[in-house]
Amino acid sequence: MKANKLKKQKLGLGVISAMLCVMSCTFTTSTFADTVDNSISTTIENSVILNTQNNLFNSIQENLLIAQAKVFEENQNNYNCVINYPVTNNTLIDNEIEAFVISLKWSFHLSNSNRDIAVTYDNFNIDYKEFQIDDNYYTVVFNESRTNNEGAKIERIYIQNYNKETGKIATVDEILENNLEQEKIISLKETIVEYLKYHLYGGEGFISQNYEAYKPYLTTENIFNHLVFDSNSIKFYANPNVVLPNEDGVVDIEISIDYILNILGFDFFMAETEEIIEEVIEDEIEEIEIDPSNPMAGVSGIFLVDVNGEKVYKQGDIIDPDKPMVALTYDDGPSKIHTNRILDALEKHNTVATFFDIGKLIDAYPEIIQRQVALGCEIGNHTYYHDNYTKLSVSAIKADIEKTNNSYMNAVGYIPTLFRPPYGSTNATVRSSTGLAEILWSIDTKDWQSRDANKILDTIYKEGNLDGQVILMHGIYESTAKATEILIPYLLEKGYQVVNVTDLLEMKYGVTPSAGQSFGYNYFN
Ligand code: ZN
């Protein structure tokens, strides 16, 4: 296989919501940043690499197939056959897969038994990779290889997309039409063709002499049979002699989502997504009655600010500074289903959490931010588009912060004082440009990675003493919401007060966060 991999960079779609109890922080501004965080610069790299939380179409991903690998082995007198294939919990799809694999084996058997052919093969193998880009489709890429003991080898690739509902084969166009508007599909196709032309024929070690014959194949109509959508990239597979000569084998090129977004704009995959989410979730949320002129009225919970952002009373009044306390934080929301489920759990136990939400999604779901605030939760800025601020200019950072602050103003009438950088990626320039206090975390549950409530809980449990710690989670996963429902009663049972970040800082550490300060990984331990 020819693997031409671009540097793969992860992209997160995140939001944070936090409810902030303190509007005006005129308390301690100090040389804090100097003493707090030397660890940031060394840990960023990791954080950037690990924080892969979104996928190409930013879908809800609640309906993923569970597949198990099966192996079929057969020793015929003239060849060995090893076929790996997935068995899912969807019988319709399994039937399709089985029929397909059998057809591959049968066609091999026929051709290999044909006495007229010059080359016969001793081994027939099928391997596969699977992909689930959204709730509706499941993709399997089968890789067939025929080898013989004289060293001859033929490889072929077969891409099969299955519609989870019908179990039938789906086209790439169908998948795209389900996720993107028509004009976006056209731009995407054009971008991919340009990329492939350059990558296959334009440079990077490929000399074009023999390739002119192949070049015309790359058109927006043709390429689509060759594409596979992975979580952070689009993969292009082609069999030998399609876009490159036989001797180059199977072509396998990965186009990162970053590349596409650089060309087509950061929010290329976003707008449509929100519409989809909207459709799916519309009738699932309970209506929350909030009087826009007074979001605090008539809602039970701990109220920390009034409509003007003024403190009604300080949560510290009811927090015992001598008892253990822990802050839960949820990034990358709001998500209609999952953030509301987390809020349900918080409300049920009369506890709070800090939500670092994304401006784009705050604009889409202001009512969720209102509910966070109404329940006494803290809100914090997590940027408008979930950009990596270390890659932006100071003026771009300021504009993005402003845009996000506007989203908060529109939603709840005040702006947060806290900021959490996407990917935990920050530096001195970022810290001095946001006009907010930077909050990282001390326990990373890696919930975006495991998507497993038990693993999230284990990560927290094995920390032992949680007093004074800030736990990082993401409010956009079902598994995280599920973990939260178990975690909160567990913490209360263990005697922890579950508090907002600002309250934790004030009550536990005696500091009120203010602009330019940074509370990094080592601060809360
Ligand atoms: Zn994030």
Side-chain angles (χ1 to χ4, degrees):
M1 273 209 174
K2 179 183 290 291
N4 280 318
K5 295 204 174 178
L6 266 203
K7 183 176 72 92
K8 193 175 171 188
Q9 221 181 355
K10 317 299 190 180
L11 229 231
L13 202 223
V15 179
I16 291 177
S17 64
M19 127 95 173
L20 235 242
C21 51
V22 187
M23 267 308 280
S24 50
C25 305
T26 47
F27 302 72
T28 43
T29 321
S30 63
T31 57
F32 189 70
D34 299 328
T35 53
V36 176
D37 214 324
N38 302 327
S39 63
I40 290 180
S41 54
T42 52
T43 45
I44 291 168
E45 288 266 312
N46 260 351
S47 173
V48 171
I49 293 162
L50 291 176
N51 225 334
T52 335
Q53 59 220 10
N54 82 327
N55 55 62
L56 201 61
F57 299 127
N58 199 27
S59 63
I60 301 165
Q61 301 244 21
E62 292 196 323
N63 182 27
L64 298 187
L65 279 189
I66 299 158
Q68 286 182 318
K70 283 276 155 81
V71 188
F72 169 85
E73 291 185 69
E74 187 179 68
N75 294 316
Q76 293 274 358
N77 50 9
N78 56 345
Y79 64 88
N80 294 323
C81 163
V82 180
I83 296 175
N84 295 285
Y85 65 103
V87 175
T88 73
N89 49 356
N90 182 319
T91 322
L92 294 169
I93 291 178
D94 288 346
N95 292 342
E96 286 286 332
I97 290 174
E98 216 168 282
F100 182 70
V101 168
I102 289 169
S103 76
L104 291 181
K105 179 181 167 287
W106 186 241
S107 93
F108 169 75
H109 182 81
L110 288 179
S111 68
N112 212 47
S113 316
N114 181 346
R115 285 165 196 281
D116 297 334
I117 56 167
V119 185
T120 58
Y121 293 90
D122 303 304
N123 300 293
F124 176 74
N125 294 321
I126 294 177
D127 274 316
Y128 72 93
K129 288 181 188 164
E130 55 181 351
F131 303 89
Q132 295 192 68
I133 185 62
D134 68 9
D135 289 338
N136 304 308
Y137 301 100
Y138 173 66
T139 299
V140 184
V141 177
F142 293 99
N143 182 6
E144 174 195 291
S145 78
R146 306 175 177 198
T147 57
N148 72 16
N149 299 337
E150 282 74 56
K153 180 171 185 174
I154 294 181
E155 265 194 294
R156 290 191 72 78
I157 284 281
Y158 304 91
I159 299 169
Q160 304 287 99
N161 302 300
Y162 302 101
N163 180 315
K164 288 181 190 172
E165 213 174 303
T166 62
K168 295 295 171 199
I169 300 287
T171 62
V172 167
D173 273 325
E174 179 187 330
I175 295 174
L176 281 170
E177 278 161 19
N178 196 39
N179 283 289
L180 290 175
E181 298 137 32
Q182 207 43 248
E183 58 199 71
K184 284 191 170 181
I185 295 175
I186 294 163
S187 321
L188 183 64
K189 286 180 176 182
E190 284 167 355
T191 304
I192 292 171
V193 166
E194 283 315 302
Y195 180 89
L196 291 172
K197 277 190 174 155
Y198 174 79
H199 213 68
L200 288 167
Y201 313 120
E204 309 231 347
F206 294 105
I207 307 301
S208 60
Q209 57 182 55
N210 294 323
Y211 300 160
E212 286 304 324
Y214 296 97
K215 217 170 174 174
Y217 179 82
L218 283 183
T219 64
T220 53
E221 291 76 47
N222 287 344
I223 56 160
F224 264 51
N225 304 320
H226 299 274
L227 298 183
V228 170
F229 302 103
D230 196 359
S231 54
N232 283 291
S233 62
I234 295 176
K235 294 175 194 303
F236 173 86
Y237 291 103
N239 281 318
N241 211 20
V242 176
V243 294
L244 289 179
N246 244 329
E247 58 266 30
D248 284 305
V250 165
V251 175
D252 167 4
I253 293 176
E254 180 168 5
I255 309 169
S256 75
I257 188 173
D258 270 7
Y259 173 83
I260 294 164
L261 297 179
N262 274 335
I263 305 280
L264 297 173
F266 179 88
D267 53 357
F268 183 78
F269 294 109
M270 284 176 85
E272 188 79 359
T273 294
E274 280 161 13
E275 282 166 27
I276 291 166
I277 292 176
E278 200 107 36
E279 269 170 37
V280 176
I281 317 168
E282 200 63 67
D283 37 37
E284 295 193 22
I285 24 156
E286 204 182 310
E287 275 300 313
I288 307 146
E289 294 205 8
I290 295 176
D291 173 0
S293 66
N294 182 7
M296 298 305 150
V299 191
S300 66
I302 306 160
F303 305 150
L304 303 176
V305 289
D306 66 12
V307 267
N308 302 314
E310 299 295 323
K311 283 187 211 180
V312 174
Y313 64 87
K314 198 163 155 20
Q315 198 191 11
D317 296 344
I318 53 164
I319 295 174
D320 183 343
D322 298 323
K323 285 193 180 152
M325 62 187 85
V326 61
L328 307 180
T329 64
Y330 296 91
D331 291 10
D332 294 2
S335 142
K336 265 199 176 181
I337 291 180
H338 309 305
T339 306
N340 271 310
R341 188 167 159 192
I342 290 163
L343 289 169
D344 288 344
L346 291 167
E347 185 175 22
K348 181 175 171 192
H349 298 284
N350 202 26
T351 52
V352 291
T354 301
F355 291 87
F356 290 94
D357 286 322
I358 292 175
K360 176 94 183 165
L361 297 177
I362 297 168
D363 287 349
Y365 309 121
E367 69 282 359
I368 301 177
I369 312 303
Q370 288 157 12
R371 186 177 177 210
Q372 289 166 355
V373 168
L375 292 177
C377 293
E378 185 165 11
I379 49 175
N381 190 317
H382 195 43
T383 79
Y384 196 82
Y385 292 115
H386 207 265
D387 278 333
N388 181 344
Y389 271 15
T390 62
K391 295 183 174 169
L392 298 187
S393 66
V394 169
S395 60
I397 293 172
K398 288 187 168 166
D400 191 82
I401 287 284
E402 180 73 26
K403 198 166 161 61
T404 314
N405 283 344
N406 281 339
S407 305
Y408 277 115
M409 277 309 283
N410 292 335
V412 291
Y414 72 102
I415 60 172
T417 55
L418 303 187
F419 165 73
R420 179 172 281 166
Y423 318 107
S425 183
T426 184
N427 57 29
T429 311
V430 172
R431 283 194 284 278
S432 62
S433 306
T434 61
L436 302 169
E438 180 177 274
I439 306 291
L440 297 177
W441 53 84
S442 57
I443 298 173
D444 183 354
T445 60
K446 298 204 164 51
D447 58 338
W448 55 269
Q449 194 175 46
S450 72
R451 309 283 180 90
D452 179 330
N454 288 329
K455 285 189 180 152
I456 296 167
L457 293 166
D458 283 347
T459 310
I460 297 168
Y461 295 164
K462 74 167 197 270
E463 283 287 326
N465 186 5
L466 300 172
D467 188 21
Q469 302 233 41
V470 173
I471 299 175
L472 169 65
M473 288 179 275
H474 296 81
I476 53 175
Y477 305 117
E478 187 188 13
S479 43
T480 301
K482 199 172 156 194
T484 301
E485 288 165 350
I486 301 165
L487 179 62
I488 294 172
Y490 166 86
L491 293 172
L492 296 174
E493 162 87 31
K494 293 276 172 190
Y496 290 103
Q497 301 169 93
V498 181
V499 302
N500 288 329
V501 167
T502 295
D503 291 315
L504 181 85
L505 283 166
E506 290 186 342
M507 304 303 290
K508 190 85 206 167
Y509 298 95
V511 56
T512 299
S514 65
Q517 290 184 329
S518 175
F519 301 86
Y521 302 108
N522 295 329
Y523 188 82
F524 303 102
N525 266 305

